[in-house]
Each structure stands twice: as C-alpha cells, then as structure tokens.
Amino acid sequence: MRPEILFPLFAPVTSLKGIGQRFGKLVERAAGPRLVDLLWAKPVGMIDRRFAPKLKDAPPGQIATLTVRVDQHLAPGNSRQPYRVRCSDETGHITLTFFHARGDWIEKILPLGQVRVISGKVETYGDQLQMSHPDHVAPEGEIELAVEPVYGLTAGLSLKMMRRAVLGAVAHAPALPEWQDPALLARRRWPQWLDAIEALHGPETLEDLAPERPARQRLAYDELLADQLALALVRAHAKRQPGRVIAGDGRLRERIVARLPFALTGSQRQAFEEIGADMAAPERMLRLLQGDVGSGKTVVALLALANAIETGAQGALMAPTEILARQHFATLERLAAPAGIRMALLTGRDKGKPRERVLEGLADGTIELAVGTHALFQDEVRFADLAVAVIDEQHRFGVEQRVQLASKGRGVDVLVMTATPIPRSLQMTSYGDLDASRLTEKPAGRQPIKTSVLPVERLDEVADAVARALDRGAKVYWVCPLIEENETIDLAAAEERHARLAERFGSRAGLLHGRMKPTERDRVMEDFAKGGTDLLVATTVIEVGVDVPAATVMVIEHAERFGLAQLHQLRGRIGRGTAASTCLLLYAPPLGETAKERLTIMRETEDGFLIAEADLRLRGAGEVLGTRQSGMPEFRLADLAYDQELLAIAHDEARLVLARDPDLASPRGKALRILLYLFERDAAVKYLRSG
Ligand code: ADP
Ligand code: MG
C-alpha cells in the first residue's frame, strides 16, 4: 500500500485549483494524469522575460516584455477577424491581436488610455509590429517578469496554464524523509529532495537545465536507485526461492561434444562452467548468456539442458517466434538426438493428436527436452520435472514471462540468451536481476565480413555482383526494409523486388515475408537452406536467429532506414560459415548526419558491443532495447546517455543496501520504501518479507 505521505502527489491534476476538466485533459496529455507526473515533467527550455526593449528596438521573432499605453480598441467586423488593440510607447506602435476573445474581457485587461506591461513574441504584420495573444498582460509593477521554464505542451494548452499546473504540483509536494546516504549528498553537494524539485521547476538560467546540475543529478539518481533497488529485490526474492542441486554425470554432454564438428571456444567453455556452477548450487540460477550473433550460444544452452537431463529431470528451450523455435529444434535435434535425448517441439501451431502426444510426454517425463514458443506457457502444459529453462532472444519477452516459465517446475534454473549486445549500462537496467556470462570470442575459422556502402543508383552493379556470387555457388539474402510500419506497403516493395530479380535469376529467387503462413515460411526457409533457392528476398523477418551457414552475401536496401542494432542483427545472418562474406548496404541519398554515421560504423566494425555503444550515443537508451518490447522501464528524470556513471553507483548501492538491510526496516530503509512507491516500483515492495 502506498504510504500516506505520498497521497497528495498521486491525486489527479484536476484536484489543483484552476485546473478543471478541460485543462485537466490537456495537462494529462502533456504530462500525465497525476501531480507526480507534473513533478517529473522536465522543463525543456527557458524564456527570458527580462528582455524589455523600447518598441523601436523590439526584434521580431523574439520574446520581449514591453511597457505600452493602450491607444485604441478595434472590435472585429466578423468572428473570423481578431480583436485588435493598438498600443504605443514614445518610440513606436504595436498592435495586439486576439482571436475568438470576448471584448469585455479585453477591455478589462487592457483599459483604454492606461499603461500595461505585456510580454510575448514580437511579430511583424506588413511593416507593423504585432503581438498575438500575449502570454502576460498586467499593470506596471504588478508582475515580476523573470526567466520562465518552458515545458513540452500539447495543442490547446498554453505555457501559462502548464506552468500553473506544475507550480501547483510543486506546492503540494511534501518534504519526504531522506532516503539517500547523507555522505553521498554531502560529497556531491546534492540538495534535499524537495529543494531539488523546486530547483528543477524554478531554473534561473539556461545552465540550470543542464543534466549535470546538482538538483537534476539528485533526482536522476533517485530514479535510478529506485529502479536498481527494485531489480535487486526481485533478484533477492528469486534467489531465496529454494533451488535445487543439478549436477549431471556428464554422459550426455560427452556424447554431444564428441560429435560436434568443431571445438568449443574458450568463451563457450567458460560460460558453461559458470552455468554448471550455478546449476550445481542450491540456489536458483538466474543467468544471462550474452553473445553476439553467431557466437555459438545454442551449443552452450544445449549443454545446460543436457546437464539437467542427465539427472533425470527435464529441460525447455523457448524462442520468441515460430521460425526460431523450429530452427532451434532442428539444430538441437541434430546434436541431441544422436546422444539419446528424447525431444519434442511445441508451438501454437500444433493441434490435435500430435499436440496431445507432446503434452502427455511432457507430463509423464518421456519427453526430456521441449523446444517451443510461448505455447510452452499455456496452462495445459505440465512438466513431470522441469529443472532448467532456457529463454532465447529474451528482449522480446518480458520479465513476467521469465517468471511464468520458471513456475512450471520446482526451483527451475533460468538461462536467458540474448544476441542483442547490450551496453553494460543498459544491462544493469534491463537485466539487473541476472548474473551474466558473455561469449566474447567468435568461433574459429570465421572470416571478417566485408561491408560496403553504396547509393541505390548503383543497383545494377549490385545485381551483377549478386549474379557473380550466385555463379560461385553462394547463397544470398536480399533484404527490403520496413518503409512505413505498414505491412502492405512493405510487402509490395519486397514483392516487386522479388519479381524484378526473378526476371533475371528465375526460380533461384525466393521470397519470404511476415504475411506468409508459417508452414509456407518454413518451406521457403528450407528451400533456401537446402534446396533450389539461392537468392532470398525477404522483409526483416529474417532479423533474428536464422542460421544458414552457406549464406555469404547480404544486400540491404534502404539501409539508411534501419537502426544500428537491426543492421547488426541482419548482417549477423551471414559470416556464419568459413567462407568469406560480403554485406552491401544500399542507401537512397541524401543521407542525414545520423544515418551517415550509422552506415560508417557498420562499415568499420563488426563488434557488436562497439555498435551497441554507438547506438546508445546516437539515440535514446529506451530505443536501443525497444522499450515496449523489453519491459525496460522508461526513465522520467534520468537520461542514460548522460547518467551512466550514476547508474553504476545506484547498481552497487542497491545491492549494498539490501545486503545490510534486506527488509528495508531501518529508518533509511523505510525512507527507501517511500522512494520505491514514489517511482511506482510497488511490485518490488511486495518482495520484502515484512510489509
Ligand atoms: P548464436 O550465438 O547466434 O545463437 P549459434 O549458436 O546459432 O550462434 O551458432 C552459429 C553457428 O556457429 C552455428 O552454425 C554453430 O554450429 C556454429 N558454432 C557454434 N560454436 C562453434 C565453434 N566453437 N566453432 C565453430 N563453429 C561453431
Ligand atoms: Mg541463436
């Protein structure tokens, strides 16, 4: 339950004086429905109203505060015309215009013959000065015009109204007990929370808006600490769940490794050692296996699964899509079946008798390894004794789903695999509850991918190069981009490209897209992997996980429209065998600055972590992981592009705090609970043993 001291902050914005239903809606659209949302609305700029020129010096286009005499009221002839008020000082004239305004109200605020201070943006109309809808109108001496913060607005909401709402929220903000370490506050010269809030909304100079200002830093740190503390609580809770000791005798793993056509890399061996140690420990494993595309995560996962199966228990591997689940199944079957592991595939597509047989096998334990999609979560799916769950490409799943699968067994060890190279900083926020193993080496014998960037005018040359590659026996991907998040249009582009290429390459050219039925898609993929299709025109459905080692050429059209992470994922589909690979990035000029930088990075490096760091620099943190997909929290106050150092501190401090005070029962612990509620990490609070 939310602590009472926070009640005022979670009241609706309409509880503020002067904010009725109508403005409440607009404020809600701009910031959010509650006072606390207004507190988190960061000013985005400043207006300096101290600029008070004479009319002859008032520059059009700028905000100015003018002291003028009201000379004449000109009521409009019809409702489309503005109400005009002519004013002057000793150096010139200006006309104030008001659309849809009531005359009596204007006469009241701008009485004829009186002097008024007006502030707003100076414009010109013909050769005359004009100001429409001044932001402020007041008698001389009645208002003190200074600097004002500017907020993100929405249509129909004036800055004045927004500011009134924000100041109202600030006035309702209570002093809260200090949750930060006093030593940290002193060292960083950070203000108290309430002072920081007041400073955030009462900047005096443009510099006060900088993220490195003490008040801003303090608030960003509050938010990051709340986030890290919540993750640490989830983690501590999961670790407290009794786990089980899983240590197989190695017989299946030996058989598997003996049959591999390659030697495991040092990274793969080390990752498996870490995983094996976790599984053998009586606590639950919660581990992230992070490895760039093609680094060989699948084998490591299989060894973990085999380890559990050796003890007589079961393992499950879950993939985000049907294609991937099938592909994993095929790969694992090749490796695991000869070792004697009984396995089955379960996806949403399986129905009727075959599905029942799989469910039975899982329930009675005759199936030892299940590979599947979300279908593995369904209620009817029961395992005889699930001991380890591997979740592939986790950023497409949420944290809850991780928990859901784990609840299908007793003390299930969880291994999350991701190919998204996540910068360390982001890893802390999205996977802060997991230990991490990283595959840093590429399998031996891989050759670097040669990447070229070409304008689309050179399409014919590209087609010629593709023809030569096909003659040499290469398999080629040809990717058509997402143009406007509109599947129909995207599809049309891919279909048209396919038709053009089929004119030249005949039936060697295939087409793969997201609108196809899954069976159809499988057939196309199968044909590309083993059959007569050598050139596969595809939409981005091939982005994740697809593994055809013979594919050595990739053409990406409109590469300028893809994000770095996506380009990297796509390119990772080639360079998976021992033959040299080529990636051709086609762009439509003119290239914007960021797009140019992205393509340059792609040309210069294949290192997923460098690419991810660059990605974080070029766009916001939330985008790197795809905030909606990842379930990653969006930060309101912190900005991971600036606050990475703070995040690292928050990460360590959260763990330290819980080590000392696991139930947050000390006075500081109690204050930290308030912090969790303030940032709405309520769910984490329920993991505390005492309410
Ligand atoms: P990812 O990490 O992208 O999931 P995969 O597990 O799909 O990578 O492996 C990519 C390819 O590399 C597969 O064809 C796999 O058989 C191969 N592979 C895995 N480990 C090694 C290794 N140690 N040496 C050579 N090839 C390997
Ligand atoms: Mg994979």
Side-chain angles (χ1 to χ4, degrees), residues 179-180 190 216-232 425-426 428-429 621 632-654 672 675-676 679 681:
W179 47 72
Q180 295 296 0
W190 284 348
R216 289 261 182 149
Q217 291 268 291
R218 145 108 215 196
L219 294 171
Y221 188 72
D222 284 344
E223 185 173 35
L224 293 170
L225 184 62
D227 182 60
Q228 291 300 305
L229 197 56
L231 280 169
S425 52
L426 291 193
M428 277 182 229
T429 67
M632 191 185 93
E634 262 182 282
F635 293 111
R636 309 282 303 262
L637 297 166
D639 179 346
L640 289 185
Y642 289 100
D643 300 325
Q644 298 196 20
E645 181 234 353
L646 292 184
L647 178 64
I649 303 173
H651 175 80
D652 294 346
E653 183 163 18
L672 283 165
L675 174 70
L676 287 170
F679 284 101
R681 300 299 197 273

Side-chain angles (χ1 to χ4, degrees), residues 293-294 296-298 324 327-328 392-393 417 419 544-547 573 576:
V293 282
K297 294 181 291 296
T298 318
L324 273 176
Q327 195 176 296
H328 270 308
D392 189 18
E393 311 292 358
M417 300 200 287
V544 206
V546 170
D547 187 27
R573 299 306 114 212
R576 299 170 81 84

